[in-house]
Amino acid sequence: MIVMKFGGSSVANADRIKHVASIIKAYREQRPVVVLSAMGDTTDYLLEAADLAVKGTVDIKNVRDLHYETVDILNLDKQPVDELLGELNQLLTGISMLRELTKKTRDYLVSFGERLSVRIMAMYLEREGVPANFFDAWDIGMVSDSNFMAAELLDEVWENIPKALNAYKDGISNAIPIVTGFIAKDKNGNITTLGRGGSDLSATMIGSAMGAVEIQTWKDVDGIMTTDPRICSDAKPVPEVTYEEAQELAMFGAQVLHPRSMIPCRKTGTPVRVKNSYNITSPGSIIVEKHNGKTSPVCAITTVKKISLIDIQSSRMLGAAGFLAHVFNQFLKWNISIDVIATSEVSVSLTVNSKDKLEGLIEDLERVADVEVHSGKAIVTVVCDAKHSSSILAAGFEALSDEGINVQMISQGASKVNISMIVNEDEAERTVKVLHKAYFD
C-alpha cells in the first residue's frame, strides 16, 4: 500500500482532475490511498462567501460555478455536489442571520472544499472503470481535539484508521479510498481543521498508521530542489534527505512538507517521497530517517525574506545570569517567534518576521538593554552536514567575499544540519546564486 497526496493546484479544474486520475490509475497495482485538498481557489471562495454572509448576503456562486463546470466537463452526476451545496447554503444563511463567524463555524465552512473534491474524484474514477469510494476524514476515524482552526489528532487515530482501511489493504475491497485532507471531527462530532500543513498531516497519519510502503506528496517540481528554481535555473533535485533536513528546509522557506506533518512518519520510519505530477517517471526525492549512502556535504539552500534583525546589548544586566531569561520572557509575553539567534554573555542578535508588531516588545526590552531593530533583512540557510562546517563556511564565505556580499550574522542550528546567515533582503537572491554555484557547480 502507498498513500498519494495531491494539493489544491493538482485538482484545480477538470483537466487537472483527469491528469491526477491518470496518475492514480498508473499506481493502481500498489493499492493507493488518495488524499485530496480542495479544488484550486475553493477555500478562498468559501471564506469570501463567509465575509459576505456576515454582512447579510448569501452567495455561493463562485463555489457552485467551479464545481458545476467541473462535473459538466467530466460528465458526472451533479446530485452529490448539489447535496453539499445545499448544506453550504443553509450554513451561510445561518451565518447571515447571526452576523458572526466563530472558529467552530469557520472550520465547518471550509470543510466543504475537501468534501466536494473527493466526491468528484471518486465519481470520475468510477466513470473511468476504476472502483473508488470517497471518505470524509471522520469516516476512517480521524478524530481531533476541539482546538478549531488548529486541531491536533488524538492518539486513537492510530487504531481507528487500520480498522477502516484494512479490508482494502488486504485485498478484500478493491475500491480505491479517496479521502479528504485537512479536516477531522472532535469527540462531540464537530468538524475541525488541522491548521498549517493539515493535508500533509492527513496523508502522513494515514500512511504511518497503515504501515504504507511510502507516502507520496505530488507537486509541480521533480522533488526537493537544491534551491528555488525561480532563483537558480540550474537547481537540481536532491535524491534523498533525512526527516531532520526536510524539517529545516521547510522551516526556512522550502516548499517541503510542513514539519508537524512529519511527526507520524518519524514515529514509524515511513518514508515520504516528493513527486512531480507533470513528470511521473521522475523518481523524485525521498525523505528518510537516515541517509543510506554517501551524500553531498550540502543538501540545499533556502531563503526567507521580510525579516527584521534585532540587536540587544545588555546595559543594566551586564553579566547577570537572568539576562537571557528576561529577553526570552518578553518574546513569550508578546507572542513573537524567533527564527535565528546568536548570543554572547552580554548581547543577543536574533531575527523575527517583519510582519510582527514590535513596539511593545521593544519598549519592554529597552528597560534592561540597548535595542536596535534593522528591517529589510533576509535569512539564507544552508542545509548541510555540519560536521563539515569549516570547509562549507570557507567555500561559501570566499565566494561571497569575491562578490562583495556582507553577512551580518551567522548561526549554526542545534540540529547540526543547518547554517543560517543574515544578509540584506535586496541581496538575498544573489547570495543564494553565489552559494549555489560554490557548492553545486
Side-chain angles (χ1 to χ4, degrees), residues 217-252:
T217 178
W218 290 78
K219 299 183 180 293
D220 57 1
V221 291
D222 283 339
I224 298 169
M225 308 298 284
T226 50
T227 196
D228 188 336
R230 293 169 297 184
I231 297 176
C232 294
S233 58
D234 59 343
K236 311 174 185 70
V238 182
E240 178 185 274
V241 300
T242 65
Y243 295 126
E244 200 168 33
E245 290 168 340
Q247 284 180 318
E248 294 288 348
L249 285 166
M251 290 298 294
F252 288 101

Side-chain angles (χ1 to χ4, degrees), residues 100 116 205 273 326 372 393 437:
E100 70 172 350
L116 284 162
M205 187 67 248
R273 191 178 294 276
H326 178 82
E372 292 184 6
L393 285 170
K437 183 176 181 181

Side-chain angles (χ1 to χ4, degrees), residues 218-340:
W218 290 78
K219 299 183 180 293
D220 57 1
V221 291
D222 283 339
I224 298 169
M225 308 298 284
T226 50
T227 196
D228 188 336
R230 293 169 297 184
I231 297 176
C232 294
S233 58
D234 59 343
K236 311 174 185 70
V238 182
E240 178 185 274
V241 300
T242 65
Y243 295 126
E244 200 168 33
E245 290 168 340
Q247 284 180 318
E248 294 288 348
L249 285 166
M251 290 298 294
F252 288 101
Q255 296 298 312
V256 192
L257 277 74
H258 192 275
R260 70 192 285 261
S261 69
M262 294 186 210
I263 295 172
C265 46
R266 293 198 72 168
K267 183 175 179 179
T268 58
T270 307
V272 180
R273 191 178 294 276
V274 182
K275 295 272 288 178
N276 187 350
S277 60
Y278 293 94
N279 182 15
I280 69 172
T281 60
S282 168
S285 303
I286 192 162
I287 307 171
V288 292
E289 184 64 41
K290 293 181 179 179
H291 284 298
N292 295 310
K294 187 176 180 181
T295 59
S296 169
V298 175
C299 168
I301 304 165
T302 68
T303 185
V304 180
K305 297 179 181 178
K306 293 182 171 55
I307 295 295
S308 292
L309 173 64
I310 304 177
D311 290 327
I312 306 167
Q313 181 77 32
S314 175
S315 52
R316 279 144 291 220
M317 294 182 70
L318 187 63
F323 172 59
L324 287 179
H326 178 82
V327 168
F328 294 135
N329 280 336
Q330 304 317 307
F331 282 85
L332 177 63
K333 172 184 173 181
W334 291 97
N335 194 31
I336 294 175
S337 297
I338 297 168
D339 297 314
V340 174

